[in-house]
Amino acid sequence: MDINTFFGLKGKTALVTGASAGIGLAICELLHQLGATVVMVDKDPQVGSQASRLPGKHLGIVADLSDIAALPGLVQQVVDHYGRIDILVNNAGIGILEAAAEVKKESWDATLLVNLTAPYFLSQAAGEYMARQGYGRIVNIASQASVIALENHAAYCTSKAGLVIASKVLAAEWGKFGITVNTISPTVVETELGKRYWQGDRATEMKAKIPAGRFAMPDEIAAAVAWLVSEKAGMVTGENLIVDGGYTIV
Ligand SMILES: NC(=O)c1ccc[n+]([C@@H]2O[C@H](COP(=O)([O-])OP(=O)(O)OC[C@H]3O[C@@H](n4cnc5c(N)ncnc54)[C@H](O)[C@@H]3O)[C@@H](O)[C@H]2O)c1
C-alpha cells in the first residue's frame, strides 16, 4: 500500500486564507509537505516572504478578505498561475469579544463579514472552477463556538454556526460535481488569537472543562484538514469535524 494514495497531494493546488499565522500557516506547511502547491492569502504583507520560504513554486497574495467584490479575482489568480484550483481552505477569522448586551453593530458586521460572508463567496468563486474540473475539496475552519454557547462570543458563535450550515448547503448542492465541503470546529488553539482571550485563570478554568486537559496545537488542526482534502475523503461531505478534546461532549 502506497501511503501517498491516501494522503498525498502531488499535483494539487490549494488556496489557504489567513495563511500568515497560527492555524493557517500550519495548514500551508503541511499541505506543502504532502506535495500540494500552496497559494497563501493574508492581509499581512509578510505572506509573500512566507510563501517564498517554502521550497517550491508557492505564491503569497496580500488581500483583505472583507473586500467581497475582490474574492473572485483571488481564485482567478490561482487559476491563471497554476491552471486549476483543487483545494480551498477558508481559515481566516477574527474574534471581537463583547458581552452579549454590549455587542456593537460594527463588531457584529465585521465578524460576520470575515468569518461567514467572505468564506461563502470565496467558496462560490472556487466552486465554479471546481465544478468544471469535476473535483474539489473545500474546508472551512469554524469553531466549537459553532455548536456551543461561549460567554462574550455572540457574534463569533453566530458567524461560525452560520458557516457550518452554509457549508452543508454547498455540500448538498455540489456533491454531484465531485466537490466536498466540510467544516472543522476546534476548541481553543494555541495561536495569537487563542492566547489573546484564553489566558491566566480563564485559560486554566477552560482547560479543566476539556477532557483532554489542554488546548489544541495548530498542527493538530492542520492534520484534520489534510485528511479532509485528501482524495480518499471523497465520501465525507457536509460534516462538522469537532476537534475539541471532548469539550462539547461533557
Ligand atoms: N485560535 C483559536 O483558539 C481558534 C479556535 C477555534 C477556531 N479558530 C478559528 O481558526 C481560524 C484561524 O485562527 P488563528 O487562531 O490561527 O488566528 P490568528 O489570528 O493567529 O491568524 C489569523 C490570520 O488570518 C488573517 N486575517 C484575519 N482577517 C483577515 C482578513 N480580513 N483578510 C485576510 N486575512 C485576514 C490574519 O492576518 C492572520 O494571519 C479562524 O477562523 C478562527 O476563528 C481559532
Side-chain angles (χ1 to χ4, degrees), residues 18 20-24 42-44 63-66 91-94 114 141-143 156 160 186-189 191-194 196:
S20 250
I23 298 168
D42 205 290
K43 65 179 181 185
D44 185 335
D64 186 338
L65 298 156
S66 51
N91 162 76
I94 57 169
V114 177
I141 306 300
S143 164
Y156 187 81
K160 296 299 191 180
T187 186
V188 180
V189 185
T191 67
E192 285 311 307
L193 181 81
R196 208 176 308 134

Side-chain angles (χ1 to χ4, degrees), residues 24 26 35 51 71 120 144 190 200:
L71 298 177
Y120 184 82
Q144 63 185 6
E190 303 264 5

Side-chain angles (χ1 to χ4, degrees), residues 3-247:
I3 202 70
N4 286 316
T5 311
F6 288 83
F7 297 110
L9 296 175
K10 207 159 187 287
K12 299 279 194 286
T13 300
L15 191 166
V16 180
T17 70
S20 250
I23 298 168
L25 188 55
I27 293 168
C28 292
E29 286 168 350
L30 183 54
L31 298 191
H32 150 72
Q33 282 180 42
L34 290 166
T37 301
V38 184
V39 179
M40 302 172 64
V41 175
D42 205 290
K43 65 179 181 185
D44 185 335
Q46 275 194 82
V47 74
S49 56
Q50 284 168 320
S52 54
R53 242 176 274 143
L54 288 178
K57 288 189 175 162
H58 310 284
L59 182 67
I61 302 177
V62 181
D64 186 338
L65 298 156
S66 51
D67 182 359
I68 302 299
L71 298 177
L74 291 177
V75 173
Q76 191 61 53
Q77 280 192 64
V78 177
V79 175
D80 289 348
H81 266 86
Y82 304 108
R84 55 189 293 117
I85 175 165
D86 302 286
I87 296 164
L88 168 63
V89 184
N90 280 303
N91 162 76
I94 57 169
I96 305 172
L97 305 181
E98 296 163 326
E102 283 154 27
V103 172
K104 291 187 242 7
K105 172 75 164 48
E106 306 85 74
S107 25
W108 179 273
D109 288 347
T111 305
L112 266 73
L113 186 60
V114 177
N115 292 6
L116 177 58
T117 310
Y120 184 82
F121 285 101
L122 195 55
S123 300
Q124 193 184 63
E128 193 184 324
Y129 282 96
M130 291 173 174
R132 255 182 261 153
Q133 289 166 184
Y135 183 88
R137 297 277 182 269
I138 299 176
V139 175
N140 295 322
I141 306 300
S143 164
Q144 63 185 6
S146 68
V147 293
I148 199 160
L150 296 174
E151 277 182 16
N152 301 320
H153 282 70
Y156 187 81
C157 285
T158 304
S159 69
K160 296 299 191 180
L163 186 58
V164 170
I165 193 65
S167 302
K168 286 178 192 275
V169 176
L170 294 180
E173 290 199 19
W174 293 352
K176 59 179 178 285
F177 302 126
I179 302 171
T180 65
V181 187
N182 292 287
T183 47
I184 293 176
S185 283
T187 186
V188 180
V189 185
E190 303 264 5
T191 67
E192 285 311 307
L193 181 81
K195 285 186 227 166
R196 208 176 308 134
Y197 182 74
W198 300 101
Q199 50 171 285
D201 290 347
R202 191 183 276 147
T204 309
E205 283 163 27
M206 183 63 168
K207 284 178 192 171
K209 292 184 199 161
I210 299 174
R214 64 178 178 87
F215 294 155
M217 298 307 291
D219 64 356
E220 294 176 303
I221 311 309
V225 172
W227 172 56
L228 287 174
V229 302
S230 69
E231 283 199 25
K232 292 290 180 191
M235 285 300 280
V236 182
T237 196
E239 187 54 74
N240 182 22
L241 178 58
I242 298 188
V243 184
D244 70 347
Y247 177 68

